[in-house]
Amino acid sequence: MVKALKRLYAGLVYTFLYLPILLLILYSFNDSKYSGKWNGFTLKWYKALLEDSSIMSALYNTFSIAILASIIATIIGTVSAIAIFKMGPRMKTIFMNVTYLPVMNPDIVIGISLLALFTAVKMKLGFITLLLAHVTFNIPYVILAVLPKLTQLNPYLEEAALDLGATPFQAFYKVILPEIMPGIVTGALLSFTLSIDDFMVSFFTTGSGVNTLSIKIYSMTKVGISPKINALSTVLFLGIVILFILLNKREKISE
């Protein structure tokens, strides 16, 4: 009885999480412009999506920012995690507390703070400020993803590599890096996802003519959301699902 109730509860939770997404996918094929009425199957919204230059431009900006920000944040975050790991207990505690602050801060605080900084240094708001903002809020997540892998390392692994004739760079590249790679990949994927999903920080740090998908969709809410957004969301959702399937297969093969 208890087991059946647990399964029922889990089923209700997953239904609540995924039913809206399934409805969104369904209505992306709806011939009607209004989601509440089904007029038949169509692919016209996908065609209209490809022909909408403003949405395509926002999509390009979103992925450009997400890819660049995740790469830069992963590099800086990995180096920072290694530096924090090698610190003494007191300094490590101080730096970890500083690392947790951006994670716990509301996005609106980060957005306004970065806007104030860019204004103070007289930086023109646009693609560069948007990229710097995304790198800034992604770095702590990379640090928190890489640090546990460093903690799990055998403390004598690097010394053994050095004793066997490896240079410090070779010891890191050939011994340490492969061991912490799962944490680095996790941090990169998390950065990429957070960057695509972000609205609040992007809203405050972007300039005229540089829109991301979240800002574009927000601006469309004033006149009504087009079914083209349903089609776009469906494509993004299926892309993420395929990415995770490929990553899981890669992990199974490596095992």
Side-chain angles (χ1 to χ4, degrees), residues 202-222:
S202 300
F203 182 79
F204 282 102
T205 57
T206 191
S208 60
V210 183
N211 278 338
T212 61
L213 278 176
S214 57
I215 297 173
K216 176 64 178 175
I217 293 171
Y218 172 74
S219 66
M220 293 175 69
T221 58
K222 299 173 183 178

Side-chain angles (χ1 to χ4, degrees), residues 132-233:
L132 290 174
H134 281 234
V135 170
T136 301
F137 72 73
N138 278 331
I139 288 174
Y141 293 96
V142 177
I143 294 174
L144 296 175
V146 175
L147 266 177
K149 292 298 178 183
L150 289 167
T151 307
Q152 294 168 11
L153 277 178
N154 187 325
Y156 303 107
L157 198 61
E158 187 176 7
E159 289 182 18
L162 294 173
D163 289 340
L164 291 171
T167 63
F169 178 77
Q170 288 174 330
F172 171 75
Y173 183 74
K174 294 186 176 181
V175 179
I176 304 299
L177 189 61
E179 292 292 324
I180 65 174
M181 187 55 71
I184 295 174
V185 173
T186 301
L189 288 174
L190 189 57
S191 297
F192 181 76
T193 305
L194 289 170
S195 187
I196 288 179
D197 181 61
D198 179 74
F199 166 73
M200 191 61 68
V201 176
S202 300
F203 182 79
F204 282 102
T205 57
T206 191
S208 60
V210 183
N211 278 338
T212 61
L213 278 176
S214 57
I215 297 173
K216 176 64 178 175
I217 293 171
Y218 172 74
S219 66
M220 293 175 69
T221 58
K222 299 173 183 178
V223 294
I225 297 294
S226 169
K228 289 182 285 187
I229 299 303
N230 294 345
L232 176 62
S233 301

Side-chain angles (χ1 to χ4, degrees), residues 234-244:
T234 300
V235 172
L236 291 176
F237 176 75
L238 293 178
I240 295 296
V241 169
I242 292 170
L243 176 62
F244 274 105

Side-chain angles (χ1 to χ4, degrees), residues 8 24 29 40 61 77 96 112 137 146 152 171 240:
L8 177 62
L24 181 145
F29 299 104
N61 289 333
M96 284 305 300
I112 295 173
F137 72 73
V146 175
Q152 294 168 11
I240 295 296

Side-chain angles (χ1 to χ4, degrees), residues 10-198:
L12 289 173
V13 170
Y14 282 111
T15 300
F16 182 78
L17 286 173
Y18 288 103
L19 184 59
I21 298 175
L22 293 175
L23 287 175
L24 181 145
I25 294 172
L26 176 65
Y27 282 118
S28 71
F29 299 104
N30 185 11
D31 192 43
S32 173
K33 187 177 180 180
Y34 305 100
S35 298
K37 183 180 179 183
W38 179 263
N39 275 6
F41 181 88
T42 184
L43 292 173
K44 70 178 183 180
W45 302 120
Y46 289 87
K47 181 181 177 182
L49 172 65
L50 295 174
E51 294 173 349
D52 193 320
S53 59
S54 62
I55 293 180
M56 288 294 102
S57 175
L59 182 64
Y60 174 79
N61 289 333
T62 299
F63 274 92
S64 298
I65 292 291
I67 292 170
L68 290 172
S70 59
I71 292 172
I72 298 170
T74 300
I75 294 171
I76 297 174
T78 301
V79 174
S80 301
I82 294 170
I84 292 171
F85 177 71
K86 292 183 178 292
M87 290 177 181
R90 186 176 178 182
M91 290 301 295
K92 184 183 288 188
T93 302
I94 293 172
F95 273 85
M96 284 305 300
N97 288 335
V98 172
T99 301
Y100 279 120
L101 278 174
V103 176
M104 300 183 69
N105 258 338
D107 285 348
I108 191 169
V109 174
I110 297 173
I112 295 173
S113 301
L114 288 171
L115 173 62
L117 174 64
F118 294 144
T119 304
V121 297
K122 299 186 183 330
M123 283 188 70
K124 184 179 179 181
L125 296 180
F127 187 89
I128 298 299
T129 56
L130 190 57
L131 176 61
L132 290 174
H134 281 234
V135 170
T136 301
F137 72 73
N138 278 331
I139 288 174
Y141 293 96
V142 177
I143 294 174
L144 296 175
V146 175
L147 266 177
K149 292 298 178 183
L150 289 167
T151 307
Q152 294 168 11
L153 277 178
N154 187 325
Y156 303 107
L157 198 61
E158 187 176 7
E159 289 182 18
L162 294 173
D163 289 340
L164 291 171
T167 63
F169 178 77
Q170 288 174 330
F172 171 75
Y173 183 74
K174 294 186 176 181
V175 179
I176 304 299
L177 189 61
E179 292 292 324
I180 65 174
M181 187 55 71
I184 295 174
V185 173
T186 301
L189 288 174
L190 189 57
S191 297
F192 181 76
T193 305
L194 289 170
S195 187
I196 288 179
D197 181 61
D198 179 74

